Amino acid sequence: MLSIKGLTVKFPSRFGDFTAIEDVHMTIKPGEIHGLVGESGAGKSTVGAAVIGLLQSPGYVAGGTISLGETDLQSLTFAQAHELRGDRISMIFQDPQTSLNPLMTIEDQLIETIQAHSDVSEATARKQAVDLLEEIGIQDASARIKAYPHQFSGGMRQRVVIALAICTDPDLIIADEPTTALDVAVQSQVLDLIQRLAQERQIAFMLITHDIGVIAQVADRVTVMRNGHVMESGETAQVLGTPKNAYTISLIDAVPPLDRKIDRFHVPKEDGIASAQGNMAERWLLEGQRHDLTGLSVENLTVAFEGPRTSLFCKPPTYVALNDVSLNIKPGSIMGLVGESGSGKSTLAKVITGLVTPQKGVMNLGGAALPAGKSRSRHHLSRQLVQMVFQDPYSSLNSRHRVGDILAETLWFYGFIKDPTERKNMAASMLSLVGMPPDAITKYPHQFSGGQRQRIAVARALLARPRFLICDEPTSALDVSIQAEILNLLKDLQAKFGLTILFISHNLAVVRQMADDTAVLRNGKIEEVNNTEALYENPQHEYTKSLLAQTPVMPPSWGA
Amino acid sequence: MVYFILKRIVQSVFVMAAVAFLAFSLFRFVGDPVTQMTGVETSVEDQERLRDELGLNDPFVYQFVRFTHEMVLGDFGFSYRTRQPVANMIADRIPATLELGVVALIISLMVGVPAGVYTALNSRGVMTQTILMTTLVGVSIPTFVIGIMLIFIFGVQLGWLPTFGRGGTVHIGNWQSSLFTIDGWRALLLPAITLGVYQLTLTMRLVRAEMMEVMRSDYIRFGMARGVPMRSLYYKHALKNTLVPVITIVGLQFGGVIAFSIVTESVFQWPGLGLLFLESIRFVDIPVMGVYLVVIAFFFVLVNLVVDLLYVAIDPRLRIRDVHDGLPEKI
């Protein structure tokens, strides 16, 4: 039904035209879910935008044809194309938080969309809208429809987005990363819904995602893209099970499996971490190990925040972020901490680093008591021994400082090296230790890719000679192949320098590869702690089981 | 919601108290009130007696409390210059300034918002570039020059509009209004345009910047993707979202317009608060200056309160109370 032939999209710029996608072929039949997978910059979203006619200015279609049924989408005027949008093609965006107008009720947005494409009265449109919401799994829809978007949770909001996309009964829906911003449980519900709609209403879906697990679970056919070119295309089982293209193979290799532990990820080109220039930093780190392997234990930690004030006379309700959490991280081990958003993972990291003061509980670092929150002095040893790697490498490095200054500051701050030139040398050496060219010290953070920035962030943490590292979702902002490189790097560093790591992630597959022990956190309570292999092979708690069951994976029979 | 408003009101009371203190200090420490009031021939004993009668020998705190108390009751004291109650003088002048300010605000919004929307939607058009250039020139020229130029063109050369005063006014109770006669409007037009030009430019540029930002947002793109009519997308979805930040700035600016209409009023000899203030400075009429300070601060506080309430009216995310009255916050 949708047929794309030889599609090329170009973005004019001062330095000539930039070709975003070239010679893309694709067909999608009614009721088919067609996965479009690739890493960032592959041009997946550009394909979707070209089909629906909403290419970001100044991009334009330089060649090829897109036709939906008998209609040639290229020949339409703007008005005709706009008429067709919603009516025959619609779209679902990635982030349900931002894709609904915050100032209009769900009802107004639905009725407006329905009335834009069919000549029905407001009452009829409202009835259709309520029926649709019920069908999509929103209970008590006739009352809920009066609510504003912010009154829905993330998953419910994505359902509303889907309702808006299908309320005009389109033939084709372009779903651009529809579950990336959602937790696994919600993700699996939304994917089920998409599958159901494809079957029952015969809607064709173009499912754009970077997550191969999602594709494996729901897509009938898949197209793999890289740098604007189609690498491979075909039945999902065939493409993912027996990939022929070298890129597809390496992409699938980089995906951490959920069902087994592998020692290292296969990464096409990997710079060994022990280059000659890194020797200096390596020796320096090893000689700095005055402290033995440093474990950490927390007991009965409770953290509660004040909620929004609702009344003048009562105290604002408290929101319990951590509820009586006890955790023991063995010296020199990696503790994985998994949980959905809002489960308190990051709060625990903040308590350990002293940024949040718990109401109750004690902490113990390497055999010595660790003061909580503000009672920890500025010069407390733990402020050097405990370091953090943050999730978003784009905001965790000061964009106005050179990389060399960012790194040398740590050395200066802890008083490790007095001489500025030596500090620079050590920073350069540390960069090569984490697999970066040493000349990076003269550049600014924005000159690097996300993966490179995360390496810089790791280097910064190491320059404090830490014994305990907290990695808060260190790879969730990165592509899978980059993720594989960073995870390899962290593993190597951990083994070499005997670091103890608290590894926080919502991605269960990643944690299985990294952690010796794993703790499952939910609503501020630890549901289960165990040796990682035991926990994954034989989960005791219902919640752990459901998390594992809902994580989208490739069926083992495809044997990647 | 109620809590929010109460909190803002309490904050406002503190602001007003601080301003009252400033005004009082002006009274108390800028020159000696007794020497201001009496001539050279008044004997030292008489001066001392006056000082005692006026309570100027009482402790400082006691004087301040009395001052504030009288202010709250509406007793603003007497002007040194005219010997009239300050309250009456201010009340006479407020209508002129308020009418001027409000009309200037309306002009700036009626032109600024549509121009902002137009320049945002046609961001590369020739018309847009022209408007942006002209308004840039508009803000770069000082207010008094604009006023004088307008007087020169429309008042002197073309002779269409009067160049000073309020023209024909009508009394409605104690309110002297120029909004009900043609003559009054003719007199109001030039000063209002002069006062509104800066605000107009600011509103336009702000609306333009916000609108362009909103047009790039996901919910507008999603609206495009599901074929919501463009007219509705522009004026219903985008414009309303644009207004949230615009209201803050416009509100703050309105306080400024009232406070700093001094220059415009002086160019057009507009008998408003600003002109009164200028005259008071010339004659070191400290009671009037002090009260002017308090009145202007009161305007600022009031406008800010209104802005906060408008916020809540526009943005449902701020209506926390509603959520708890009806639906649970999250489901």
Side-chain angles (χ1 to χ4, degrees):
Chain A
M1 178 190 55
L2 174 78
S3 126
I4 302 175
K5 289 202 184 80
L7 181 66
T8 301
V9 172
K10 289 186 176 176
F11 284 81
S13 79
R14 272 186 300 167
F15 314 106
D17 284 5
F18 166 72
T19 307
I21 53 174
E22 198 170 10
D23 198 23
V24 171
H25 293 265
M26 190 187 295
T27 53
I28 308 182
K29 291 194 286 290
E32 171 184 321
I33 300 178
H34 193 112
L36 190 55
V37 70
E39 298 187 295
S40 48
K44 324 185 281 290
S45 294
T46 310
V47 175
V51 170
I52 201 163
L54 292 176
L55 277 175
Q56 294 280 51
S57 166
Y60 65 98
V61 175
T65 58
I66 312 171
S67 52
L68 183 69
E70 298 300 300
T71 323
D72 177 12
L73 297 182
Q74 289 306 108
S75 64
L76 300 178
T77 64
F78 179 82
Q80 287 169 329
H82 195 68
E83 189 63 26
L84 187 115
R85 282 196 278 272
D87 197 25
R88 298 191 58 196
I89 310 178
S90 200
M91 192 156 174
I92 301 170
F93 285 82
Q94 171 175 356
D95 190 353
Q97 311 283 348
T98 59
S99 50
L100 294 170
N101 185 345
L103 304 186
M104 278 170 79
T105 58
I106 304 302
E107 180 178 33
D108 289 344
Q109 301 192 42
L110 274 163
I111 289 178
E112 182 182 33
T113 310
I114 293 172
Q115 284 190 323
H117 295 288
S118 56
D119 196 13
V120 295
S121 73
E122 199 174 314
T124 321
R126 180 175 298 119
K127 189 165 177 321
Q128 280 181 22
V130 171
D131 290 347
L132 186 61
L133 288 182
E134 295 271 4
E135 183 194 332
I136 259 175
I138 292 181
Q139 273 127 38
D140 194 16
S142 53
R144 295 291 292 150
I145 197 171
K146 303 260 187 257
Y148 287 94
H150 71 275
Q151 290 166 307
F152 289 86
S153 63
M156 282 298 158
R157 231 181 279 197
Q158 196 64 307
R159 281 169 198 258
V160 172
V161 169
I162 293 174
L164 274 165
I166 65 169
C167 69
T168 49
D169 230 344
D171 307 329
L172 169 72
I173 290 182
I174 296 159
D176 194 349
E177 306 268 6
T179 59
T180 307
L182 305 174
D183 281 324
V184 272
V186 184
Q187 166 171 286
S188 83
Q189 291 166 14
V190 169
L191 291 177
D192 283 348
L193 177 64
I194 287 178
Q195 254 181 330
R196 205 182 83 205
L197 290 170
Q199 278 160 15
E200 289 175 7
R201 292 185 170 225
Q202 284 298 298
I203 300 174
F205 277 90
M206 181 193 286
L207 181 65
I208 300 170
T209 181
H210 68 276
D211 189 336
I212 288 185
V214 168
I215 296 281
Q217 196 151 65
V218 297
D220 303 312
R221 294 171 63 81
V222 61
T223 298
V224 182
M225 285 187 73
R226 184 194 195 190
N227 294 338
H229 294 265
V230 172
M231 293 284 117
E232 196 166 354
S233 184
E235 296 283 326
T236 308
Q238 176 246 314
V239 172
L240 299 187
T242 51
K244 296 193 177 57
N245 184 283
Y247 175 70
T248 317
I249 296 172
S250 74
L251 191 66
I252 291 171
D253 274 350
V255 178
L258 183 68
D259 55 346
R260 70 206 139 86
K261 187 178 172 87
I262 49 177
D263 279 343
R264 284 183 75 79
F265 292 95
H266 306 283
V267 177
K269 47 171 179 43
E270 192 171 30
D271 324 324
I273 63 161
S275 63
Q277 261 161 323
N279 281 343
M280 180 167 105
E282 191 183 329
R283 272 199 313 276
W284 181 77
L285 274 179
L286 287 170
E287 88 193 27
Q289 292 183 356
R290 290 170 292 154
H291 307 273
D292 299 326
L293 300 177
T294 307
L296 177 109
S297 69
V298 299
E299 272 167 46
N300 310 104
L301 276 187
T302 298
V303 175
F305 296 114
E306 266 189 13
R309 205 178 179 107
T310 52
S311 154
L312 189 58
F313 304 106
C314 349
K315 280 185 73 174
T318 51
Y319 169 75
V320 181
L322 287 179
N323 188 356
D324 202 21
V325 167
S326 301
L327 196 61
N328 183 25
I329 305 172
K330 293 196 278 292
S333 74
I334 302 182
M335 169 66 84
L337 185 63
V338 296
E340 303 191 319
S341 54
S343 60
K345 307 188 293 288
S346 294
T347 308
L348 183 58
K350 284 181 187 162
V351 170
I352 294 172
T353 47
L355 297 173
V356 166
T357 313
Q359 267 75 15
K360 236 177 57 192
V362 289
M363 290 182 283
N364 193 303
L365 181 74
L370 185 62
K374 291 206 173 108
S375 59
R376 190 181 304 176
S377 79
R378 302 290 305 156
H379 305 289
H380 196 273
L381 188 61
S382 73
R383 292 198 188 268
Q384 177 228 319
L385 294 183
V386 179
Q387 292 293 322
M388 252 188 110
V389 176
F390 293 91
Q391 169 173 4
D392 183 5
Y394 292 88
S395 62
S396 64
L397 298 173
N398 187 337
S399 56
R400 304 209 182 275
H401 284 189
R402 290 177 196 277
V403 170
D405 296 330
I406 294 174
L407 297 177
E409 185 188 30
T410 317
L411 291 170
W412 166 80
F413 179 72
Y414 292 111
F416 288 140
I417 299 178
K418 298 275 182 279
D419 180 49
T421 327
E422 272 184 51
R423 281 206 292 263
K424 279 266 143 62
N425 291 340
M426 182 59 74
S429 172
M430 187 60 79
L431 276 177
S432 33
L433 188 68
V434 297
M436 294 275 292
D439 64 346
I441 58 167
T442 57
K443 295 183 181 166
Y444 287 95
H446 72 262
Q447 291 169 290
F448 298 99
S449 67
Q452 288 174 315
R453 280 187 231 207
Q454 204 58 302
R455 284 175 192 265
I456 296 171
V458 170
R460 177 176 61 180
L462 286 180
L463 281 170
R465 283 179 166 168
R467 304 304 300 141
F468 187 85
L469 206 56
I470 299 173
C471 301
D472 190 354
E473 305 262 11
T475 59
S476 31
L478 307 174
D479 280 325
V480 270
S481 60
I482 310 295
Q483 164 173 287
E485 289 174 18
I486 297 287
L487 293 180
N488 276 352
L489 173 73
L490 282 173
K491 270 190 174 180
D492 292 345
L493 293 171
Q494 192 267 341
K496 188 165 255 163
F497 302 113
L499 296 167
T500 311
I501 296 182
L502 175 63
F503 190 92
I504 300 173
S505 180
H506 67 277
N507 187 330
L508 278 88
V510 167
V511 170
R512 175 158 205 179
Q513 308 312 317
M514 292 298 291
D516 301 314
D517 300 293
T518 299
V520 182
L521 199 62
R522 178 202 198 182
N523 296 337
K525 271 186 109 81
I526 290 200
E527 300 285 9
E528 190 170 356
V529 196
N530 206 342
N531 175 280
T532 302
E533 284 309 302
L535 184 129
Y536 279 74
E537 286 305 322
N538 188 14
Q540 296 301 312
H541 200 280
E542 280 308 313
Y543 179 66
T544 317
K545 285 181 196 164
S546 76
L547 272 187
L548 284 169
Q550 283 161 344
T551 302
V553 286
M554 280 205 278
S557 56
W558 295 354
Chain B
M1 200 32 229
V2 180
Y3 171 74
F4 172 72
I5 296 172
L6 278 179
K7 200 168 94 182
R8 293 312 303 250
I9 289 177
V10 170
Q11 284 172 352
S12 310
V13 168
F14 274 103
V15 172
M16 288 311 296
V19 174
F21 182 76
L22 273 180
F24 175 70
S25 312
L26 202 65
F27 257 118
R28 195 64 194 82
F29 300 115
V30 179
D32 179 7
V34 174
T35 32
Q36 304 263 357
M37 282 186 280
T38 57
V40 269
E41 63 274 12
T42 318
S43 70
V44 180
E45 289 78 34
D46 283 346
Q47 284 194 10
E48 205 45 50
R49 196 171 46 80
L50 190 59
R51 210 177 285 275
D52 225 37
E53 272 177 21
L54 292 176
L56 291 176
N57 290 331
D58 293 340
F60 177 79
V61 177
Y62 183 66
Q63 286 189 44
F64 176 59
V65 170
R66 193 170 53 208
F67 172 83
T68 321
H69 180 70
E70 284 169 358
M71 277 270 185
V72 172
L73 293 180
D75 177 5
F76 295 156
F78 289 86
S79 156
Y80 292 164
R81 182 166 61 93
T82 62
R83 310 285 158 185
Q84 284 176 340
V86 178
N88 293 359
M89 293 171 70
I90 297 273
D92 281 348
R93 297 298 190 103
I94 278 182
T97 295
L98 268 189
E99 282 181 5
L100 179 63
V102 170
V103 172
L105 178 77
I106 290 173
I107 289 176
S108 72
L109 287 182
M110 299 241 296
V111 182
V113 173
V117 172
Y118 176 85
T119 51
L121 297 183
N122 308 287
S123 57
R124 281 161 205 274
V126 179
M127 185 72 177
T128 299
Q129 296 306 322
T130 319
I131 294 177
L132 289 178
M133 288 278 279
T134 333
T135 51
L136 194 63
V137 175
V139 272
S140 314
I141 304 175
T143 316
F144 69 92
V145 176
I146 293 179
I148 292 170
M149 271 166 47
L150 287 177
I151 289 179
F152 181 71
I153 297 171
F154 294 100
V156 180
Q157 292 289 327
L158 299 171
W160 290 352
L161 298 166
T163 56
F164 66 90
R166 294 188 69 188
T169 54
V170 177
H171 278 274
I172 301 165
N174 290 328
W175 189 279
Q176 192 186 9
S177 171
S178 51
L179 299 179
F180 296 97
T181 61
I182 305 263
D183 207 29
W185 272 103
R186 277 162 44 90
L188 185 59
L189 212 52
L190 287 188
I193 290 174
T194 310
L195 189 57
V197 160
Y198 184 76
Q199 173 112 0
L200 187 157
T201 316
L202 193 84
T203 309
M204 192 199 87
R205 289 182 171 257
L206 197 67
V207 168
R208 173 180 141 88
E210 285 296 329
M211 186 92 172
M212 286 171 78
E213 186 72 37
V214 170
M215 288 306 290
R216 277 194 292 269
S217 68
D218 275 356
Y219 53 85
I220 297 296
R221 295 191 61 213
F222 186 36
M224 294 276 287
R226 56 182 207 268
V228 173
M230 294 309 284
R231 176 186 295 270
S232 164
L233 274 180
Y234 290 151
Y235 301 109
K236 203 159 135 196
H237 293 255
L239 188 58
K240 204 172 172 193
N241 276 287
T242 305
L243 286 183
V244 178
V246 170
I247 281 179
T248 325
I249 303 294
V250 169
L252 285 176
Q253 281 289 310
F254 181 61
V257 165
I258 297 286
F260 305 119
S261 61
I262 297 175
V263 176
T264 312
E265 291 190 5
S266 136
V267 169
F268 289 91
Q269 285 300 298
W270 186 262
L273 281 179
L275 208 56
L276 178 70
F277 185 60
L278 277 186
E279 288 162 6
S280 309
I281 290 177
R282 204 173 301 144
F283 293 96
V284 201
D285 196 348
I286 290 169
V288 179
M289 285 155 68
V291 173
Y292 176 81
L293 200 65
V294 174
V295 169
I296 292 299
F298 183 71
F299 266 122
F300 266 96
V301 166
L302 200 68
V303 166
N304 272 308
L305 201 63
V306 171
V307 165
D308 283 337
L309 293 181
L310 277 179
Y311 253 31
V312 177
I314 289 183
D315 196 334
R317 283 167 294 187
L318 297 175
R319 288 176 227 154
I320 298 169
R321 184 67 200 224
D322 292 2
V323 177
H324 287 268
D325 284 348
L327 302 154
E329 192 168 1
K330 290 264 172 78
I331 296 180

